[in-house]
Amino acid sequence: MKSATWKMARHELEMILREPKFLIPFFIPPILLIVSQLVLLPGEDDPWVFTRMMLNCALLIAPMVAPLAADSFAGERERGSLELLMLLPVKPSSIFYGKLLALIPLPIVCMILAESAYMAATGFWDWTVYIKSVLLGILMSFVFTGIALFISLRVKTARATNQIAHLFIFVLLILGNVFAKAYYTYAVAPFLLTVAVVAAFAAVSAGSFKKFRVK
C-alpha cells in the first residue's frame, strides 16, 4: 500500500509540474509585495512593517494550493479520468492519499523561496520572523488544501471548487492580521496553531476519504 501511495504521489506531482499555469500564482504575490515594499516604502525601518509584509506574503501564497487540490479531485472527475483510476488494481486509499501527498511539497518550497526572496530584497534579516512566517504559510496551505479537498468531493467541477474555496481568503486575511501580534509575540502560539491545524487537517482528510471511497 505504501509503495502504491508513493508512486501515485510521484505521478501526481509530475503531472502538476508539467502544467506551468499552476505555478504562476505562487510567484505573483511575493513579487508584488516586494515591489510595493521597495517602491512605496523606501527606507522603511519599522520591524513591524516588515513582519506584517512577510505575514501577508504567507497568507496570500497559501490559498494558491486550492486549484491544485481542485484539479486533483473535482478536475479528475470532471474529465472522467477519476473513474479510470478507480479501475486500477490499487486500493482507493493509495489513490486518495497519493494525490493528497502530491499537494504538499509545492506550497512548502514556494513558501520558503518567497520569504527568502523577500528578506534578501528588503534586507530584513530576522530569522525568528522568517521561521514563523514560513511555518504560518505552510500551515495555511494545509488549511486551504483541506478546504478545497472537502469542497471538491461535493461539487461537480474544479471551477466551482476554486470559486468557493477562495471565498475563505478574506476570512484568512482578516484573522491573520487580527491575531498577527499574538502569533509573532508569544512563543507558544506557533506550537498551538500547528497542533490545531494538523488535527483539523487529519480529521478533514479522513472524512474526505470516506466521501471519496463512495464516489
Side-chain angles (χ1 to χ4, degrees):
M1 175 180 170
K2 289 183 178 180
S3 177
T5 302
W6 285 111
K7 286 181 180 179
M8 178 61 67
R10 186 169 62 250
H11 171 74
E12 284 293 310
L13 188 56
E14 289 174 355
M15 295 299 292
I16 291 172
L17 294 177
R18 288 178 187 174
E19 290 285 349
K21 65 181 180 181
F22 286 124
L23 304 179
I24 295 174
F26 285 98
F27 296 102
I28 292 178
I31 292 173
L32 292 177
L33 285 173
I34 291 171
V35 171
S36 64
Q37 177 84 23
L38 296 177
V39 174
L40 300 178
L41 299 171
E44 178 64 57
D45 58 359
D46 183 357
W48 183 238
V49 171
F50 290 96
T51 300
R52 292 294 285 265
M53 292 293 276
M54 293 186 74
L55 165 77
N56 288 324
C57 183
L59 295 181
L60 287 172
I61 292 177
M64 301 307 154
V65 73
L68 300 180
D71 189 71
S72 290
F73 292 92
E76 289 270 24
R77 187 169 62 252
E78 191 177 357
R79 293 187 296 269
S81 52
L82 188 60
E83 288 78 5
L84 295 176
L85 281 176
M86 298 300 285
L87 294 176
L88 295 174
V90 179
K91 293 183 178 180
S93 58
S94 294
I95 297 174
F96 178 83
Y97 287 106
K99 283 178 163 293
L100 196 56
L101 282 173
L103 300 174
I104 296 174
L106 192 57
I108 293 176
V109 172
C110 290
M111 197 68 62
I112 292 172
L113 290 176
E115 298 290 6
S116 299
Y118 179 86
M119 283 210 314
T122 60
F124 180 65
W125 298 99
D126 189 320
W127 292 102
T128 300
V129 172
Y130 171 83
I131 291 172
K132 288 186 176 182
S133 298
V134 169
L135 175 62
L136 179 66
I138 293 172
L139 291 176
M140 293 305 101
S141 295
F142 274 89
V143 168
F144 270 90
T145 299
I147 290 172
L149 184 65
F150 181 85
I151 296 170
S152 69
L153 292 170
R154 288 161 176 79
V155 300
K156 296 181 179 180
T157 66
R159 180 179 297 178
T161 301
N162 287 328
Q163 290 176 330
I164 297 171
H166 279 95
L167 291 175
F168 291 89
I169 293 178
F170 301 103
V171 177
L172 177 65
L173 288 173
I174 292 170
L175 292 177
N177 283 279
V178 168
F179 294 103
K181 204 81 172 180
Y183 177 77
Y184 285 100
T185 301
Y186 298 108
V188 72
F191 172 76
L192 294 177
L193 183 62
T194 300
V195 172
V197 169
V198 170
F201 184 74
V204 170
S205 299
S208 296
F209 173 63
K210 291 181 180 179
K211 186 72 175 178
F212 174 82
R213 193 169 48 183
V214 300
K215 284 288 183 180

